[in-house]
Amino acid sequence: MAPIIPMTFLAGASGRWRITRIAQHTGPSLPPAARLEVHPGHDRAAAAAAWALRGSTGHQRYVEQAEKRQLVAVQAGLERKEATCAALIPIRKSAAWWELAQDERRKIFEEVSRHTAASMKYLPAIARRLYHSRELGEPFDFLTWFEFAPEHAALFEELVGLLRATEEWTYVEREVDLRLTLEPEPAAP
Ligand code: HEM
């Protein structure tokens, strides 16, 4: 069983990642910030200069055995040396989504929207990790995190466009789209 990893995304004046864009996609955006740090655990949230979002990896809800095997065979891990670009896309789904039964959600997620099947071809260029936030009482249900090399930035845009056109996305009521680059903080004057 995969371990549960709690994580906090802290935005403010410092952090390894430089925030290059915070774009409001659906619903209210997040306050502007210059940099972001990703901290294991949840105890640093109060230290945020601008904002903090908490999430934890969790058990998979929709992936079936054959899909899991395929994913494991092609997916890349985080923190590859060449993956100096990242995206943080916090997402909240509507009450209508959460009122659906598990089988109805799986049907929309995969049989209709083909979330896993259609996204698979973007691996291993795009590395991903999904954090669950809803159970923590956070403003978003999910924090989705992606890492890729600069030459795959256009590929990532294509993937995001593809998913946003699906039926699954008609249930997304808040989505903010952050892009980041791994850059050392400028030395203090
Ligand atoms: C890199 C290619 C991608 C692959 C292979 C992929 C695959 C998956 C898989 C297998 C799950 C289901 C996990 C489970 O069973 O609980 C999932 C969930 C999710 N993914 Fe993706 N994904 C990709 C890209 C993206 C992108 C770009 C976004 C956001 C724009 C995104 C947003 C989400 C969200 C919000 C969920 C949670 C859905 C829910 O539980 O209702 N994914 N993804």
Side-chain angles (χ1 to χ4, degrees), residues 131-184:
Y131 296 93
H132 295 260
S133 284
R134 183 178 175 81
E135 295 75 7
L136 299 168
E138 288 279 303
F140 295 94
D141 294 335
F142 308 99
L143 306 176
T144 63
W145 175 258
F146 307 91
E147 293 177 2
F148 44 90
E151 63 264 32
H152 293 133
L155 197 71
F156 184 72
E157 298 305 330
E158 180 188 301
L159 164 66
V160 171
L162 185 115
L163 286 171
R164 285 187 180 141
T166 60
E167 184 173 331
E168 184 196 351
W169 246 253
T170 63
Y171 293 89
V172 171
E173 65 174 22
R174 189 173 178 198
E175 178 175 3
V176 184
D177 192 334
L178 283 89
R179 296 305 153 84
L180 312 95
T181 54
L182 196 55
E183 280 175 35

Side-chain angles (χ1 to χ4, degrees), residues 59-63 71 89 91 93 97-98 109 115-116 119-120 122-123 126 128 130 132 142 144 146 156 159-160 163-164 168-169 175:
H59 305 294
Q60 292 190 322
R61 293 168 172 163
Y62 305 114
V63 173
L71 284 166
I89 307 184
I91 287 175
K93 286 185 169 175
W97 173 261
W98 293 107
F109 177 87
H115 186 125
T116 312
S119 302
M120 199 92 76
Y122 296 89
L123 307 181
I126 314 294
R128 53 179 272 275
L130 175 67
H132 295 260
F142 308 99
T144 63
F146 307 91
F156 184 72
L159 164 66
V160 171
L163 286 171
R164 285 187 180 141
E168 184 196 351
W169 246 253
E175 178 175 3

Side-chain angles (χ1 to χ4, degrees), residues 35-119:
R35 305 193 71 99
L36 182 106
E37 189 51 79
V38 189
H39 280 289
H42 286 160
D43 52 347
R44 294 285 299 275
W51 46 261
L53 293 172
R54 297 177 308 143
S56 288
T57 58
H59 305 294
Q60 292 190 322
R61 293 168 172 163
Y62 305 114
V63 173
E64 295 185 343
Q65 198 188 41
E67 293 160 349
K68 188 172 174 176
R69 248 198 312 268
Q70 277 178 285
L71 284 166
V72 168
V74 289
Q75 71 197 2
L78 298 181
E79 296 187 20
R80 289 168 296 172
K81 199 163 57 62
E82 69 277 17
T84 55
C85 294
L88 171 64
I89 307 184
I91 287 175
R92 188 173 73 220
K93 286 185 169 175
S94 64
W97 173 261
W98 293 107
E99 279 159 18
L100 294 170
Q102 173 71 19
D103 60 338
E104 295 172 304
R105 290 201 298 262
R106 156 78 199 182
K107 191 167 167 219
I108 295 164
F109 177 87
E110 196 58 38
E111 274 74 42
V112 178
S113 303
R114 301 184 50 75
H115 186 125
T116 312
S119 302

